[in-house]
Amino acid sequence: RQIFFRQLNRLFCRSLLITETQVRLLHCDRSGAYKTTALNINDNPHTFVRLILGLSSTQEAILGIDISVQWTIKDGVKVAGTIRTVDGSGKGITYQLRMDRPCVITQAVLGRGTVCWMAKDRDGKQIIIKDAWRVDEQIPEYTLLERAKGIPGVVNMIAFEDDRMQTKNLRPESFVSDDFYNRTMSRVTMLCYGLPLYQFTSQRQAIAALCDAIQGHFNLLRAGVLHSDVSAENILFGEDGGDVGLRGVLIDLDMARRAHGPTAEKLEETHQGTHLYQSICLLDSWNPVLARVPRDYLDDLESFFYVLCHILYGYEGVNLPAPRAFSSGSLLAMWEDMDTETASNRKFIYLTREGTQNTPSHRCSGHRHASTFARNLGRLSSQWS
């Protein structure tokens, strides 16, 4: 885990499992891990030596390092870096990495393995370069970003590079596993935007960004794409002082799907995402007894509502997270519960009986301020409706 999290341009990792008589080669990548059958060191000394030499190679690509990312090291510290990809016309281009902005990464080895590199072009304009690994059944994000080009309130793509590597090609031909899912790495270059919604600097900024993100969602739906992963992390602020429609931007189309009108084209087998923001219908879809229906725009609109509630109940003000907002038994904690039935029931009770103007006794102390915050946001939203 630490190798992947410390070396963000790590594509795969290999090592040896050794005893006094046997050795196995261990391979790890975004599709999981596998180990070879045990090899007797004494009976196969030449193979053992070859394994040692292979893992001691000075060629970074052989060791699983993405050589399109290069670093300048000074006194053992990375002081500068570059990343190589393609531009909008498909020609090779190299960008300077920003060392003053941390990369955004997915906190898991198995899965999409998203890494968002912060960079700048030759004119000094800030951009984001996103590396991610998708399963074969997943729609490539860049195909949906193509539809979203020029749409206000939605992330804008500059270029993409697909099929950089497939995990099936990192395994021997004889490899067979029932739970293996091939993943393909792609790289997308996008415009850079501001901080996530929960890092608001004023109530007006928060509600303005949320309004424009909702409008962006509608614009995206009209282009035939249903976002399907609305969360506080996936709404960013636009440029300071931006025009209406550009104050908030909806990002991350990894889980988006093509839509016919207001409804997704097909029924998903699973509904990934954070329970905190998922609609009641999606949470109930995990129950095999209940009927499942395709995701539609109402699920995403309900998610926008829960994002607003997260701001209302999770913060006492600017840069003031409510200290017990996610404590055991709190409203947000129950909405985020791993038990989908508990999360669904608690959201249903809130929507039908409580609402933002009531304060149940089990809520944390920060919720005393939520009603005032809600009224202020309500007044602002009525001014811009």
Side-chain angles (χ1 to χ4, degrees):
R1 285 177 61 87
Q2 291 306 311
I3 289 176
F4 277 95
F5 294 159
R6 297 294 179 180
Q7 301 174 1
L8 299 182
N9 57 330
R10 172 69 68 170
L11 301 175
F12 60 86
C13 180
R14 288 171 176 163
S15 58
L16 297 180
L17 303 174
I18 306 177
T19 70
E20 66 276 14
T21 59
Q22 296 182 331
V23 62
R24 293 173 184 258
L25 175 67
L26 175 65
H27 171 95
C28 299
D29 59 34
R30 298 301 181 176
S31 289
Y34 78 84
K35 60 180 181 288
T36 63
T37 56
L39 180 76
N40 188 289
I41 297 174
N42 300 314
D43 294 340
N44 301 274
H46 294 90
T47 303
F48 178 54
V49 171
R50 289 177 63 191
L51 288 171
I52 296 294
L53 291 176
L55 295 178
S56 304
S57 173
T58 58
Q59 299 183 45
E60 292 184 339
I62 292 177
L63 298 178
I65 300 294
D66 184 353
I67 59 175
S68 68
V69 178
Q70 293 292 315
W71 304 102
T72 299
I73 310 295
K74 185 176 182 180
D75 297 329
V77 178
K78 296 174 182 175
V79 295
T82 61
I83 184 168
R84 189 173 67 254
T85 183
V86 297
D87 60 16
S89 60
K91 296 181 180 179
I93 188 171
T94 299
Y95 294 107
Q96 292 289 326
L97 291 174
R98 293 191 57 188
M99 306 305 291
D100 58 330
R101 289 282 302 274
C103 297
V104 179
I105 65 173
T106 301
Q107 296 295 327
V109 175
L110 178 64
R112 289 183 288 176
T114 302
V115 178
C116 292
W117 305 92
M118 305 299 174
K120 55 185 177 181
D121 62 17
R122 293 168 184 171
D123 298 326
K125 190 174 183 178
Q126 299 180 35
I127 58 173
I128 293 178
I129 301 174
K130 177 180 177 181
D131 290 343
W133 301 74
R134 70 176 186 275
V135 293
D136 292 343
E137 296 77 17
Q138 189 175 355
I139 301 172
E141 183 183 19
Y142 64 82
T143 63
L144 302 175
L145 287 169
E146 283 279 9
R147 295 191 180 192
K149 275 189 174 180
I151 295 178
V154 182
V155 60
N156 237 304
M157 180 178 69
I158 299 172
F160 70 89
E161 183 181 358
D162 195 22
D163 201 7
R164 303 193 73 249
M165 179 172 284
Q166 295 191 46
T167 54
K168 68 180 181 182
N169 296 330
L170 300 175
R171 287 161 168 71
E173 294 181 0
S174 59
F175 176 79
V176 177
S177 176
D178 293 335
D179 60 354
F180 170 76
Y181 297 93
N182 180 52
R183 288 185 176 270
T184 301
M185 182 188 182
S186 63
R187 174 168 288 170
V188 178
T189 305
M190 299 171 286
L191 295 180
C192 185
Y193 300 95
L195 296 172
L197 181 67
Y198 55 82
Q199 294 185 259
F200 58 91
T201 57
S202 70
Q203 296 177 6
R204 177 178 289 272
Q205 183 196 36
I207 194 64
L210 189 60
C211 286
D212 285 358
I214 293 173
Q215 181 62 47
H217 179 274
F218 175 65
N219 297 337
L220 188 63
L221 187 63
R222 289 197 297 184
V225 179
L226 186 64
H227 188 274
S228 305
D229 190 23
V230 174
S231 68
E233 291 78 14
N234 288 342
I235 300 174
L236 302 184
F237 293 111
E239 295 183 4
D240 293 337
D243 296 333
V244 174
L246 302 175
R247 299 165 299 182
V249 180
L250 200 57
I251 66 165
D252 195 356
L253 271 63
D254 270 339
M255 293 173 59
R257 58 259 306 142
R258 298 186 184 94
H260 287 312
T263 307
E265 282 187 346
K266 62 180 182 179
L267 180 68
E268 307 99 274
E269 290 301 317
T270 59
H271 295 305
Q272 299 179 354
T274 307
H275 290 171
L276 175 62
Y277 306 114
Q278 285 187 333
S279 69
I280 294 173
C281 184
L282 289 178
L283 292 171
D284 287 344
S285 67
W286 289 95
N287 189 332
V289 178
L290 300 176
R292 297 175 60 219
V293 296
R295 186 193 296 254
D296 66 20
Y297 78 101
L298 291 174
D299 293 300
D300 281 3
L301 286 181
E302 191 174 335
S303 295
F304 276 112
F305 176 74
Y306 297 135
V307 169
L308 174 60
C309 288
H310 183 184
I311 300 298
L312 296 178
Y313 298 127
Y315 294 84
E316 296 182 348
V318 175
N319 294 325
L320 289 175
R324 291 177 50 81
F326 287 91
S327 61
S328 178
S330 70
L331 183 72
L332 296 181
M334 286 190 286
W335 285 3
E336 199 176 35
D337 200 297
M338 289 299 295
D339 180 5
T340 56
E341 185 175 357
T342 297
S344 172
N345 289 341
R346 198 62 194 82
K347 287 182 176 180
F348 179 79
I349 292 173
Y350 179 84
L351 291 176
T352 57
R353 303 179 191 174
E354 297 171 358
T356 57
Q357 299 306 314
N358 300 315
T359 308
S361 58
H362 67 267
R363 294 184 188 170
C364 68
S365 59
H367 296 157
R368 290 196 301 269
H369 307 275
S371 58
T372 302
F373 197 11
R375 285 194 295 272
N376 292 335
L377 291 176
R379 283 197 293 269
L380 289 173
S381 63
S382 65
Q383 295 172 15
W384 296 323
S385 60

